[in-house]
Amino acid sequence: MRFGKKKQNNAPLKPEKIEIHEDVSCLSITECLLFAQDEHQIMQFLGPNQKQKILKYDLDSHQLIIKSIGHNCKLDLIRCEDIKEVRYATECFQLLKLSAEIDLCVTIKYRVDESFVWNSFKFEAFDPDSAQKWVHTLRLMQEAKIHKQSPDKIKEIFINRFPYLLESVSLDGQISPKELKVFLCDAMNFKLETEELNQIMKDEGLLEDSVIEKSNLTSIYNRLIYDERIIDPLYEDKSGKSVYPFFTIRTGIIDNMELEEFLNQEQKTDMLVDTVVNKYGKDGSLTSKQFIDYLYSDDNLVYTRADAVEDSMDSPLSHYWIASSHNTYLTGNQITSKSNVEAYVQALLSGCKCVELDVWERQNTIMILHGNTLTTMIAASDVLAAIEQYAFKVSPYPLILSIENHLGPQMQEDFAKMIKEILGDKLLSAPLPDGGQLPSPNMLRNKIIIKDKKHLRDFNHEYLKTDIVRRGEIYFESSLHANDWSRRVVLMTPEFLYYSYQESDSDEGEMRERIGAINGSPAGTTLKLSDLHLAEPWYWGGVDANAGNYYISEYVKSMISLMGEEINLSGDFAIRPRTQGVGEFVLLFLDSQNKAKKIKVQSKYERGFPRYFIEDYPGAPTFESLYALVKHYQRVSFSVDKVPLILKRPIQEPRNFAKEIWFHYGATFEDSERRLRDHKVNGAFLVRELPDNKFRLVFRCAGSVRSCKIRQDGRLWIIGNSQFEGLTQLVDYYKKRPLYITKNNQEIKLTKPVEMIPLDQVSTPADYQLLNQEYVTEEEIRERPEEVYEAEEDYHGRAEDELTFLRGAIIRNVEQDSDHVGWFVGDYGPRKRKRFPKKFVRLYEWEEEENLDNPLGNMCEGMIQLKKSTARLHTVSDNSYIPHYISIKCEGREEYRMGFKQYEEMERWFDSITNPKKSKPLSKKPTKRKQSVAYSALVIYAVAIPAPIEFTDDYIASLNYREMSSFNENKLESLTQKSTAANLLAFTSSCLGRVYPKGMRTNSNNYDPLLAWNYGIQLVALNYQTPDKGMQLNWGKFHNHNAGCGYVKKPFDMVTNKFDPRQDSFSNSVALFIRVVGGRMLFSESGNSPKVKISMEGLDCDVTAAETLPAKSSTCPYWGDGKVISLLCLNPDMAMLRFEVTDTNDFGDEKFIGHCTFPIRQLMTGWRCVPLFDGYGHEKLLARLLVHIEMEILKSSDPEREMKRVRGEILQLNEHLTEVSPVSEQDIARLKEIEDKYFELSFLQRKTELDQNRVAANSAMSGHVRTLSRGKTYVRLSKKRSKPLL
């Protein structure tokens, strides 16, 4: 097909696959690179349209360059490390609706930032051969991960990205510090504070306003990456005594003999010295920086990466934990998010082996969606096509389809036919010779298993009953501000109308956790080059012409009054935007007579980008930004009326916010809290300025007072992850948009400014105490238990601050009313923090928690009882935004207003509200319907049956191994608290079990999977779209073990009924002693003080944690306090070690940076590198920790006491061995005796001879004798392992 001509596509609906020609797949890497480095014309698909582009691969910068053709030749970049998959055709499982030939189409799936949904770059190649070459070449690039490159190569790649990221490089090849900051952020993810960058430049001998040559980038890069303090413990401690005396002479060069001793004795690695030196050094030796490269490399990881399946895969399926997903199709929350076929692809490529399909009939088509919600739907045929292609890309072991069936008998027949046609031979359609137990993963290789209820002769399938009569996204008016409308998700039943918390107006319609949107650009992502002027003090962003003239004259008057008439203000300047004309500016300056003048800053477009200039003559210089223009004319003069002028001092914009009533200069937090105490409205606020020119935003939130830092970067005001051009703009912005989100997803706006009245006029009780501390972390809020009460009698409030409720009402967040004896304060529906008498309520029994569920779960802000309420229609002609609304007045409550843009829609809702019982349910289905026999025949080894109230002995005895039960997390917790909890392990040793999130988790957050795993539940279904701790533990369990195949074998005792997760005494306990030394690239959205939390995750007796103090830098943090974290692990078979790095934002909340979670049995000891991953399991580029780990085997009935004793012995021996004197024979004998005592038992007891031999080999460790060059002998007790523990 030739470019410029469109060919109609009459291809069938069935997706077409393209085979790679043999000659293309056999291309060498060199041939691929030569092909890709040439410029190729392609047609990019942009929705239904196509656009001609140039595509090439840049080898030096390791990225794809996409260039437009024509006048606007803007560049788009895709970094190869962000490419996740390369496909033939636009979508291998969706109908191609574009006018293109399917054998020419290629899709690149790549990731932007840390998002869940991957982006797509779709294009049409010139011919089929080019398309296949591109796919083959891009897959090779995808495999050549940048993490695997040598340190010098990584540095070279980053620096070679410099020209592309600057958008337009200056002719002399020089850049300013501001431009360097942009480059470091975009190319290397170095999110530096201005002060930190200035210090680095100072250390490099550069001034803050100096220009930087491209050649300076190498030294600055090294300054950011290398911190030799991390190897100080290898030489000496604070007292000067040698702690790990492997390197005796610090000359900057590591002696090879000492390196060999370090590798053998400390690391216990199999790597040879020559291998390390050849890979990381030059000229046959290592420098200290090259040694640091080795310490942070993949050759020195803290755990062993399993490249092959290690567990036996011949046991029954019930003997394995299986990676499982819940509502796999969703990309966000459970109420309003989009469904996407790509979510299945991403789950399967991450190793998931059980995905969920909720099938419904919509317009005679089988669709997958979350029923009775506002989520979108996708075709079941597309999902099955994706599953067919991706089911076994990661591993050949079986995939389970957990189907929630809402189809009628006829549609089930069609669904069964669809499954057979699309999945083909991969579908398990008949039982295997299983010998009376579930088949093994090896027996089921490359097979897909259907999990659902099975047809029985007298069994009728129970369908979900629903009484929802109307749902939609409706505008609600704020009760505090007229005409302040916010969008809410609304679900209506015959009795109640439920509404959610305020929803964002994003196109996706998802309720995301956020601290606010952006004014200008995010603070966490450095400004673009074209916006660098926004942070400069000379830029007056909110000043018009009249105000600009006034401020200039006032500036001249103030300077003359301070310095006298003789002062020369020539060259003092400011720039403001033009009142008329977007993107145009005016330069204001003072001449030699101190008179104000102005000149227009002109602009023109070159290559699609604006260029700014003030001199208009042939060859006059133009600049890519206002910032570059000003920097140039601060060094070079320009002519004004034939008089040369150089820009000198910037004139700063006046502080207009000082006149605002919410501004409190010099107020302490205690003063602010007292002033806010009487304003019991969420969002009441003030801004206080500290004497050291620091600012704090203080506001009321859920019964407490919160304080948030406001930072300044030049003229920009930064709060959280957003930045503004002025403090007033910041406040005005958060009056309309949420500033903070509480634990209950309640969004807090700034509502009521608090005036700075004298403190003696503030009412202060005698027993006054602060409502809360200044910075309250998110964890502390979550730990506060929620008190829930049930109304025993009706109560009608007599005042505005009292609740009104009927008998049976559920009142949440109940607390004692400190101002009224015998009263509570709580939340009921939309009424928040209102008081009521104690005698009308009783404590709610949490065993009935599921009765509290409502259709919106924890996204529900409140509900309106339709009984005894009156509704009226209104039309407001002078409000074009919300012209129509319904007012609902409930007895004893405030009026609610629901806004609509269309009158017809308002009428439909009004009819349902006024006649709720006459409205028909949305899902009109009979409650009982027989299941299709053809569909039922597909269910073989995962026959779903109802979960029992408890697993009694009789129930266990009656089980069929093909049956399985599913229950939510609440049911699991209830089962584990019963006396028959041990039978749950008996059940999961022969049958499959599945646990899924409770219905209240409508924001798609995850529960803790440890409890389910500890009781042998195989299928622990989690929301893969949510990167929280639950998913991180799931990633650590499956990704870092058994080559990420999605199956992990349970311990032998767990499947032989010899295991009790509630016990706290085991024979294979270990003690870990971990010291965090340093790190690299630990950047967060806000904050510059990362800390490391180390935790043991496993049985209840093993869940312990400790953390470091915050470091002083995010670039190369160093923890030089020598703190050793001690963790006790009673059962290493079930435990994982987790490193989590967090930082504290301006609200005092901890923000996640990265984690590394892996099984204890894969632990490596010595000086080790901890790679960090984001919440989705993608490795963060260069983000790593350096730790030192020691491990001891504990042989005692009291492991905790034994651990303390062992640690004391180690400290005493280390102190003794650091003395520079020969060790006596008595000392050697004593050390040998202690060593033999600790190692007379193997680390883990195993049932098979093979396992016993492996453990014996790992346990055969003896004391090491090292001979120094002086000829004196010293003994070092070493019990560290670098091999896997199993």
Side-chain angles (χ1 to χ4, degrees):
M1 170 181 170
R2 294 184 177 274
F3 292 101
K5 296 182 179 180
K6 293 188 176 181
K7 180 179 178 181
Q8 296 298 323
N9 178 32
N10 298 317
L13 295 183
K14 186 177 180 180
E16 183 176 345
K17 295 183 180 178
I18 305 172
E19 301 296 332
I20 303 178
H21 297 322
E22 184 177 355
D23 57 335
V24 175
S25 62
C26 295
L27 285 175
S28 67
I29 295 178
T30 302
E31 291 172 318
C32 289
L33 293 178
L34 289 175
F35 165 80
Q37 288 183 86
D38 291 336
E39 292 189 346
H40 298 269
Q41 290 190 20
I42 61 167
M43 295 295 292
Q44 181 185 359
F45 296 117
L46 300 170
N49 303 316
Q50 296 177 339
K51 188 173 183 179
Q52 194 167 351
K53 296 286 185 74
I54 297 294
L55 178 66
K56 65 170 290 188
Y57 168 67
D58 185 69
L59 177 63
D60 294 333
S61 61
H62 195 53
Q63 57 189 352
L64 287 177
I65 313 299
I66 304 153
K67 185 168 60 175
S68 301
I69 296 178
H71 178 68
N72 184 5
C73 52
K74 182 179 179 181
L75 298 180
D76 291 316
L77 308 172
I78 300 178
R79 300 170 184 171
C80 290
E81 65 264 26
D82 294 331
I83 296 177
K84 298 303 177 184
E85 193 192 7
V86 183
R87 303 174 186 163
Y88 288 107
T90 56
E91 304 287 352
C92 56
F93 41 80
Q94 290 180 326
L95 173 65
L96 179 61
K97 299 179 181 179
L98 302 168
S99 299
E101 295 181 358
I102 194 169
D103 59 342
L104 303 179
C105 299
V106 178
T107 294
I108 301 174
K109 305 297 292 188
Y110 64 98
R111 193 162 180 255
V112 177
D113 298 325
E114 295 184 4
S115 59
F116 172 68
V117 179
W118 297 341
N119 285 17
S120 297
F121 176 74
K122 305 173 185 178
F123 68 90
E124 181 185 15
F126 186 78
D127 53 50
D129 186 62
S130 296
Q132 293 167 12
K133 286 181 179 180
W134 270 118
V135 171
H136 187 64
T137 304
L138 290 169
R139 286 175 177 172
L140 288 175
M141 297 174 189
Q142 180 188 358
E143 295 172 2
K145 298 183 181 299
I146 193 171
H147 303 81
K148 308 297 182 183
Q149 306 295 322
S150 67
D152 287 341
K153 182 61 178 178
I154 293 175
K155 176 172 61 179
E156 181 183 342
I157 287 173
F158 282 150
I159 294 177
N160 285 330
R161 288 177 177 175
F162 174 78
Y164 299 103
L165 293 163
L166 281 184
E167 297 180 344
S168 178
V169 184
S170 57
L171 297 176
D172 55 6
Q174 298 175 337
I175 59 174
S176 67
K178 293 273 185 176
E179 293 165 325
L180 175 64
K181 187 177 176 182
V182 175
F183 168 67
L184 293 175
C185 177
D186 288 347
M188 306 180 187
N189 198 33
F190 286 171
K191 300 174 183 177
L192 300 177
E193 297 287 346
T194 302
E195 295 79 6
E196 189 175 3
L197 178 59
N198 291 339
Q199 183 60 46
I200 292 173
M201 293 183 59
K202 183 178 179 181
D203 294 341
E204 292 296 320
L206 299 172
L207 300 177
E208 293 183 11
D209 57 349
S210 61
V211 295
I212 301 170
E213 305 284 346
K214 186 178 178 181
S215 58
N216 296 129
L217 292 177
T218 300
S219 60
I220 293 176
Y221 176 91
N222 291 336
R223 173 69 174 78
L224 292 169
I225 284 293
Y226 296 105
D227 185 355
E228 297 193 15
R229 292 179 299 172
I230 66 168
I231 57 176
D232 284 346
L234 289 167
Y235 298 99
E236 61 185 16
D237 61 10
K238 294 179 180 179
S239 64
K241 294 182 178 179
S242 177
V243 179
Y244 298 103
F246 295 102
F247 312 119
T248 55
I249 303 176
R250 191 170 183 176
T251 61
I253 301 296
I254 307 298
D255 182 77
N256 286 356
M257 292 183 61
E258 294 179 337
L259 178 61
E260 182 178 10
E261 186 177 12
F262 172 78
L263 295 175
N264 294 337
Q265 295 188 16
E266 182 67 16
Q267 304 297 87
K268 299 296 182 299
T269 180
D270 296 332
M271 286 192 72
L272 300 176
V273 172
D274 291 344
T275 304
V276 175
V277 171
N278 292 337
K279 186 171 183 178
Y280 297 96
K282 291 181 180 179
D283 302 325
S285 62
L286 288 180
T287 64
S288 57
K289 289 182 178 179
Q290 292 164 348
F291 179 65
I292 292 175
D293 286 334
Y294 162 72
L295 290 178
Y296 277 119
S297 71
D298 282 359
D299 292 322
N300 191 45
L301 293 182
V302 72
Y303 60 88
T304 56
R305 277 182 170 165
D307 297 326
V309 175
E310 299 172 332
D311 292 342
S312 169
M313 305 302 286
D314 295 318
S315 299
L317 208 61
S318 58
H319 290 196
Y320 299 85
W321 289 298
I322 305 172
S324 306
S325 168
H326 170 254
N327 286 357
T328 314
Y329 46 88
L330 292 179
T331 59
N333 67 62
Q334 305 287 311
I335 301 295
T336 62
S337 67
K338 291 185 177 180
S339 303
N340 196 327
V341 180
E342 291 296 331
Y344 285 92
V345 176
Q346 293 175 210
L348 293 172
L349 290 178
S350 68
C352 182
K353 284 299 179 178
C354 177
V355 296
E356 185 174 3
L357 294 79
D358 293 359
V359 289
W360 297 73
E361 179 184 352
R362 290 291 184 269
Q363 298 178 351
N364 296 322
T365 305
I366 302 173
M367 307 297 289
I368 290 179
L369 70 146
H370 199 199
N372 301 313
T373 67
L374 299 175
T375 57
T376 59
M377 63 183 74
I378 50 179
S381 57
D382 290 343
V383 172
L384 291 173
I387 290 172
E388 189 275 334
Q389 180 163 355
Y390 288 89
F392 307 111
K393 276 203 169 186
V394 173
S395 74
Y397 301 112
L399 172 69
I400 300 173
L401 304 187
S402 178
I403 297 178
E404 188 175 306
N405 184 0
H406 300 275
L407 301 174
Q410 183 55 50
M411 293 305 292
Q412 290 180 39
E413 296 276 349
D414 297 341
F415 188 42
K417 183 179 179 181
M418 181 190 297
I419 291 174
K420 291 178 182 179
E421 288 182 354
I422 296 178
L423 299 185
D425 294 339
K426 295 178 181 178
L427 177 67
L428 181 69
S429 56
L432 301 177
D434 48 37
Q437 61 182 2
L438 287 172
S440 69
N442 271 336
M443 295 175 65
L444 293 166
R445 290 170 72 94
N446 298 313
K447 289 297 180 182
I448 297 175
I449 302 170
I450 303 296
K451 175 227 157 222
D452 201 346
K453 294 182 175 67
K454 192 170 180 66
H455 171 77
L456 299 176
R457 179 176 300 176
D458 298 321
F459 176 77
N460 287 332
H461 184 79
E462 293 287 341
Y463 285 88
L464 178 67
K465 296 180 181 180
T466 176
D467 57 353
I468 295 177
V469 298
R470 188 163 293 281
R471 61 176 179 262
E473 295 180 78
I474 309 298
Y475 288 89
F476 268 59
E477 187 181 40
S478 169
S479 60
L480 296 173
H481 303 286
N483 292 326
D484 183 7
W485 297 90
S486 59
R487 201 168 49 158
R488 314 293 181 100
V489 175
V490 180
L491 300 179
M492 178 182 164
T493 67
E495 291 82 22
F496 292 96
L497 187 147
Y498 302 89
Y499 58 93
S500 71
Y501 290 105
Q502 178 176 331
E503 185 179 357
S504 66
D505 282 323
S506 64
D507 292 337
E508 297 180 0
E510 297 185 14
M511 291 188 169
R512 294 197 177 100
E513 180 180 357
R514 59 196 183 278
I515 299 180
I518 310 301
N519 173 24
S521 59
T525 55
T526 305
L527 288 173
K528 296 180 180 179
L529 287 176
S530 57
D531 296 330
L532 286 179
H533 62 278
L534 296 176
E536 292 302 307
W538 43 258
Y539 181 68
W540 296 359
V543 175
D544 59 18
N546 294 330
N549 296 334
Y550 173 76
Y551 292 150
I552 286 286
S553 63
E554 289 297 310
Y555 171 76
V556 173
K557 292 178 183 177
S558 62
M559 293 297 292
I560 291 176
S561 64
L562 289 173
M563 309 299 295
E565 294 283 349
E566 300 80 12
I567 186 173
N568 183 8
L569 302 178
S570 175
D572 292 6
F573 72 99
I575 292 181
R576 64 169 178 82
R578 286 193 68 195
T579 307
Q580 300 175 350
V582 178
E584 297 182 356
F585 303 90
V586 174
L587 172 63
L588 308 173
F589 60 92
L590 298 173
D591 63 10
S592 58
Q593 304 297 320
N594 292 344
K595 292 183 178 180
K597 292 191 175 182
K598 61 183 179 181
I599 185 173
K600 179 182 176 181
V601 178
Q602 305 179 70
S603 64
K604 61 182 178 180
Y605 276 79
E606 296 179 2
R607 298 174 59 191
F609 296 99
R611 305 287 297 188
Y612 298 93
F613 61 95
I614 57 177
E615 297 178 290
D616 191 7
Y617 59 85
T622 62
F623 306 89
E624 69 274 10
S625 66
L626 279 179
Y627 175 83
L629 181 146
V630 169
K631 284 298 180 183
H632 176 79
Y633 288 116
Q634 285 181 320
R635 301 192 303 265
V636 179
S637 64
F638 63 98
S639 296
V640 179
D641 297 333
K642 299 183 180 181
V643 177
L645 179 73
I646 291 182
L647 300 182
K648 296 179 181 177
R649 290 183 296 266
I651 305 175
Q652 297 193 14
E653 188 176 359
R655 293 169 37 130
N656 295 326
F657 58 82
K659 62 184 180 182
E660 301 288 346
I661 64 171
W662 44 256
F663 180 69
H664 296 210
Y665 177 78
T668 65
F669 178 74
E670 290 76 11
D671 297 341
S672 303
E673 197 275 341
R674 285 185 171 88
R675 292 188 174 100
L676 286 168
R677 184 179 179 86
D678 290 336
H679 299 272
K680 298 181 179 180
V681 178
N682 278 344
F685 74 99
L686 58 87
V687 176
R688 64 189 185 95
E689 182 179 5
L690 282 62
D692 53 355
N693 200 32
K694 294 181 180 179
F695 296 82
R696 299 290 185 269
L697 174 60
V698 189
F699 59 96
R700 283 293 298 253
C701 172
S704 66
V705 173
R706 304 284 313 233
S707 179
C708 174
K709 298 176 183 177
I710 300 177
R711 294 172 288 139
Q712 284 187 274
D713 186 359
R715 62 178 293 274
L716 291 182
W717 298 79
I718 302 172
I719 182 172
N721 192 33
S722 303
Q723 54 192 19
F724 302 84
E725 295 184 42
L727 186 56
T728 304
Q729 288 92 326
L730 182 152
V731 171
D732 290 343
Y733 183 90
Y734 288 116
K735 285 181 179 179
K736 300 177 181 178
R737 296 172 177 83
L739 167 74
Y740 187 77
I741 300 177
T742 68
K743 64 170 184 176
N744 293 325
N745 280 345
Q746 183 179 5
E747 297 179 338
I748 305 297
K749 297 179 183 178
L750 301 182
T751 55
K752 184 176 183 179
V754 176
E755 191 174 358
M756 190 175 180
I757 60 177
L759 289 175
D760 55 7
Q761 298 180 19
V762 178
S763 59
T764 303
D767 58 347
Y768 171 79
Q769 292 182 351
L770 290 180
L771 290 181
N772 222 319
Q773 61 182 16
E774 180 164 1
Y775 297 106
V776 183
T777 66
E778 191 172 336
E779 289 184 355
E780 290 172 325
I781 296 176
R782 287 174 179 159
E783 288 173 0
R784 296 174 58 187
E786 180 186 24
E787 293 287 346
V788 177
Y789 281 74
E790 181 181 13
E792 292 187 299
E793 301 178 35
D794 294 354
Y795 177 73
H796 296 278
R798 300 177 182 178
E800 178 62 26
D801 63 344
E802 293 183 22
L803 286 179
T804 295
F805 48 77
L806 302 176
R807 181 183 176 184
I810 302 301
I811 306 170
R812 293 179 175 272
N813 296 321
V814 177
E815 297 176 352
Q816 298 284 341
D817 187 349
S818 57
D819 298 329
H820 301 85
V821 178
W823 288 69
F824 281 146
V825 175
D827 302 340
Y828 177 55
R831 305 276 288 174
K832 307 296 183 183
R833 314 317 300 153
K834 304 297 182 182
R835 58 192 183 93
F836 59 94
K838 290 183 179 180
K839 63 181 181 180
F840 286 87
V841 298
R842 67 177 177 86
L843 187 65
Y844 193 85
E845 297 294 334
W846 278 103
E847 287 76 7
E848 304 173 11
E849 181 182 2
E850 293 186 5
N851 295 332
L852 289 175
D853 291 356
N854 60 64
L856 288 174
N858 56 9
M859 291 175 61
C860 181
E861 180 179 357
M863 57 187 178
I864 302 173
Q865 190 174 13
L866 299 179
K867 185 179 180 181
K868 298 182 180 180
S869 65
T870 57
R872 294 182 180 179
L873 295 176
H874 303 267
T875 296
V876 184
S877 58
D878 59 348
N879 187 346
S880 59
Y881 182 60
I882 303 294
H884 315 286
Y885 70 89
I886 299 174
S887 64
I888 303 176
K889 180 67 176 177
C890 300
E891 183 179 343
R893 299 190 187 180
E894 59 194 46
E895 184 179 81
Y896 302 89
R897 292 187 177 183
M898 300 169 55
F900 302 86
K901 295 186 177 182
Q902 300 294 329
Y903 186 84
E904 293 77 9
E905 183 185 9
M906 179 180 67
E907 279 190 320
R908 289 193 293 268
W909 274 91
F910 182 77
D911 291 341
S912 297
I913 292 172
T914 53
N915 299 289
K917 294 187 177 180
K918 295 182 180 180
S919 301
K920 297 180 180 180
L922 294 179
S923 297
K924 185 178 180 182
K925 292 182 180 292
T927 56
K928 293 187 176 182
R929 186 172 291 164
K930 289 186 177 181
Q931 196 174 27
S932 160
V933 176
Y935 172 73
S936 180
L938 303 180
V939 184
I940 299 172
Y941 282 119
V943 181
I945 60 173
I949 298 176
E950 66 178 299
F951 286 89
T952 62
D953 293 339
D954 292 340
Y955 182 85
I956 296 297
S958 65
L959 281 175
N960 184 310
Y961 65 92
R962 296 185 183 182
E963 296 174 337
M964 67 168 293
S965 291
S966 297
F967 36 85
N968 69 18
E969 56 181 294
N970 289 341
K971 177 73 171 180
L972 172 66
E973 187 172 356
S974 175
L975 290 171
T976 59
Q977 293 174 357
K978 298 182 182 294
S979 59
T980 56
N983 283 341
L984 184 55
L985 285 165
F987 169 76
T988 57
S989 65
S990 58
C991 300
L992 294 178
R994 179 175 179 266
V995 174
Y996 55 89
K998 62 183 179 182
M1000 294 290 286
R1001 296 187 182 274
T1002 52
N1003 58 355
S1004 294
N1005 63 323
N1006 286 303
Y1007 55 95
D1008 188 346
L1010 291 175
L1011 180 64
W1013 288 333
N1014 292 343
Y1015 277 87
I1017 305 294
Q1018 298 89 353
L1019 305 169
V1020 183
L1022 299 174
N1023 294 306
Y1024 272 50
Q1025 70 271 31
T1026 306
D1028 53 13
K1029 184 179 178 181
M1031 265 307 297
Q1032 294 162 24
L1033 292 175
N1034 189 78
W1035 178 88
K1037 190 172 192 69
F1038 291 102
H1039 183 271
N1040 278 335
H1041 183 68
N1042 240 20
C1045 71
Y1047 283 77
V1048 173
K1049 193 172 183 181
K1050 302 178 189 176
F1052 181 78
D1053 289 347
M1054 180 173 277
V1055 297
T1056 54
N1057 299 328
K1058 297 180 181 180
F1059 177 80
D1060 185 354
R1062 295 171 294 186
Q1063 75 181 82
D1064 56 3
S1065 178
F1066 300 90
S1067 60
N1068 54 357
S1069 305
V1070 297
L1072 298 181
F1073 304 99
I1074 305 174
R1075 176 186 174 186
V1076 180
V1077 181
R1080 276 182 173 177
M1081 303 283 289
L1082 306 184
F1083 297 106
S1084 64
E1085 293 180 353
S1086 59
N1088 196 31
S1089 302
K1091 64 180 179 180
V1092 183
K1093 181 179 181 180
I1094 306 174
S1095 60
M1096 195 77 67
E1097 308 287 349
L1099 299 180
D1100 288 345
C1101 57
D1102 280 339
V1103 178
T1104 57
E1107 62 183 32
T1108 67
L1109 295 173
K1112 295 182 179 180
S1113 171
S1114 296
T1115 309
C1116 285
Y1118 174 64
W1119 288 271
D1121 53 5
K1123 177 182 177 181
V1124 176
I1125 292 175
S1126 304
L1127 297 176
L1128 173 64
C1129 180
L1130 297 180
N1131 191 330
D1133 268 348
M1134 299 288 294
M1136 293 184 288
L1137 187 63
R1138 170 177 163 83
F1139 293 84
E1140 180 184 19
V1141 183
T1142 61
D1143 208 336
T1144 303
N1145 68 6
D1146 294 335
F1147 290 93
D1149 294 333
E1150 286 191 358
K1151 288 299 179 181
F1152 174 80
I1153 295 177
H1155 82 104
C1156 182
T1157 308
F1158 55 90
I1160 287 289
R1161 54 175 141 176
Q1162 293 180 291
L1163 179 66
M1164 309 276 279
T1165 58
W1167 296 85
R1168 294 293 173 180
C1169 164
V1170 181
L1172 294 180
F1173 301 81
D1174 65 18
Y1176 295 111
H1178 299 282
E1179 189 167 356
K1180 296 175 73 73
L1181 189 61
L1182 295 183
R1184 300 200 164 191
L1185 297 173
L1186 182 67
V1187 300
H1188 182 261
I1189 299 179
E1190 294 186 70
M1191 180 169 59
E1192 296 296 337
I1193 315 302
L1194 303 179
K1195 179 193 173 185
S1196 172
S1197 59
D1198 187 351
E1200 199 164 330
R1201 179 182 300 176
E1202 179 74 1
M1203 183 181 74
K1204 293 179 180 178
R1205 190 186 64 77
V1206 168
R1207 189 178 183 196
E1209 292 273 3
I1210 294 173
L1211 294 175
Q1212 182 179 356
L1213 291 172
N1214 280 340
E1215 183 178 355
H1216 181 73
L1217 292 173
T1218 55
E1219 298 177 1
V1220 186
S1221 60
V1223 181
S1224 65
E1225 294 182 2
Q1226 291 82 359
D1227 290 331
I1228 296 176
R1230 176 173 169 242
L1231 296 176
K1232 189 69 170 66
E1233 180 183 355
I1234 294 175
E1235 182 181 48
D1236 293 339
K1237 182 177 178 181
Y1238 282 132
F1239 287 90
E1240 62 185 7
L1241 286 183
S1242 61
F1243 173 67
L1244 295 174
Q1245 300 293 331
R1246 284 301 178 198
K1247 302 298 181 183
T1248 64
E1249 181 180 355
L1250 176 61
D1251 287 336
Q1252 291 174 353
N1253 291 337
R1254 293 175 63 191
V1255 173
N1258 284 335
S1259 301
M1261 309 192 66
S1262 58
H1264 298 283
V1265 180
R1266 61 190 301 266
T1267 304
L1268 301 183
S1269 57
R1270 297 188 291 271
K1272 297 180 180 180
T1273 301
Y1274 297 82
V1275 177
R1276 177 178 179 79
L1277 184 65
S1278 177
K1279 306 179 183 65
K1280 309 172 186 68
R1281 291 171 175 75
S1282 63
K1283 299 289 185 182
L1285 301 180
L1286 290 179

